[in-house]
Amino acid sequence: MARKWAGYAVIIYLVYVACMYGYIFWFADTSIPQALKGTAADPQTFLNARELVLSEEYSNIRNFIFLAYTPFEWLIYFFILLCGVSRVFERWAVSISKWRVAQTGIYLFWLSLLTYIAVFPIQYISYTFSRAYNINTQSFGAWMKDEIIGFWINFALMFLIVSVLYWLMKKSSKKWWLYAWLLSVPFSFLLMFVQPVWIDPLYNDFYPLKNKQLEEKILTLADRADIPAEHVYEVNKSEETNALNAYVTGVGANSRIVLWDTTLNKLQEDEILFIMAHEMAHYVEKHIYIGIAGYLALTFVGLWLISRLMNYIVERWGKLLKISAVDTISSLPLFLLLTGVLLFASNPLSNYVSRYQETRADRYAIEMTGDQDAAIHAFQELTRTGLSQVHPPLLIKWLRYTHPSMLERISTIENYDKDE
């Protein structure tokens, strides 16, 4: 029976990958609408012939890797259960230590290591293509260093979450999902408070903006937006990418305005001010808190669904999947599989909300700076440096795009009437 299920899973995955390949490379429509040809949103007006080709090629590859990678993770978790690997890891952990916390750590380490090794080829392929198209500028050694740092940060966070989660399962088999959700509320806020100060600096060096005249202008914008920031931070992202970015992160006293040095190097001052006004809009309009509220609402529904599904699956197919009970640590791959599926299914909704917020932020930035030309040129340069697809396929937009397409953003700004 296990071999039969494994065969079905592989066939389904391969058919899915073939369909996604056909959709992206053969059938998806990425042509510019006739009404927008020749406008500032038409990539032929600001990209040369080579950049147009590279943009389409690179975007198609990225989109295909994303669509292939996500269900591949689910397949790995499914095989870990089906082949009894999860139960073996649990037995190893129990044989090494009598302490449940230590058992969780041992089990999670081996599970994390195995899944990382399994998905590493896809991650390496993604890195290689990014290097080939001159987006990623990291050496293999620097890239691996970030991968290792990421592995241990994820392991530490997962260890904390999984330890608490399975302790709750032991204590309350029916309401563990509710208690886990209640604990996720303060944890989410704590993580937002901690990340800018403790986690982000593990990957890059942050330092006060060297251009003090520009910093003063940005802080003037921040003061108008009532953002409690005393400094603007610059981060040395040029060591790893040619892409551009800027953001406002953190909450309360830990709020930070951050500019990538690539943005400073490739955009003009008025373009940078527009980008910063856009990022400040997220703070002003409380998008961070709205995002947390939405995340917590989805988490509430998701944990409830996962609890129901895990009970049903273990009761019906527990023997096949080598899971004796929901509250045993060997059920973790099932929990992660279901979490991944539900998160993927929620992408269209969460991305839609995010795109709406980004549209609001664009409008706010135009109203604050009053500089449409700077906004258009900034988005055109973002497209060029990141080899972004100006008009992505509809399915990709639903599943991947947290921002409106560049076609939508540039055309909206070009047609924006500040007197309306």
Side-chain angles (χ1 to χ4, degrees), residues 3 80 276:
R3 184 177 298 178
I80 287 173
M276 294 313 303

Side-chain angles (χ1 to χ4, degrees), residues 249-265:
T249 186
V251 292
N254 275 21
S255 297
R256 280 190 172 189
I257 300 172
V258 179
L259 276 163
W260 287 10
D261 60 347
T262 51
T263 304
L264 292 165
N265 295 336

Side-chain angles (χ1 to χ4, degrees), residues 120-161:
F120 181 81
I122 297 179
Q123 292 178 328
Y124 179 72
I125 290 170
S126 180
Y127 160 75
T128 302
F129 274 113
S130 185
R131 283 273 296 180
Y133 284 85
N134 202 34
I135 301 299
N136 192 317
T137 59
Q138 283 183 299
S139 65
F140 177 74
W143 178 73
M144 277 304 304
K145 177 184 175 183
D146 282 352
E147 289 289 303
I148 292 170
I149 291 172
F151 174 88
W152 285 110
I153 289 175
N154 290 332
F155 173 78
L157 290 173
M158 282 295 293
F159 174 69
L160 177 61
I161 293 169

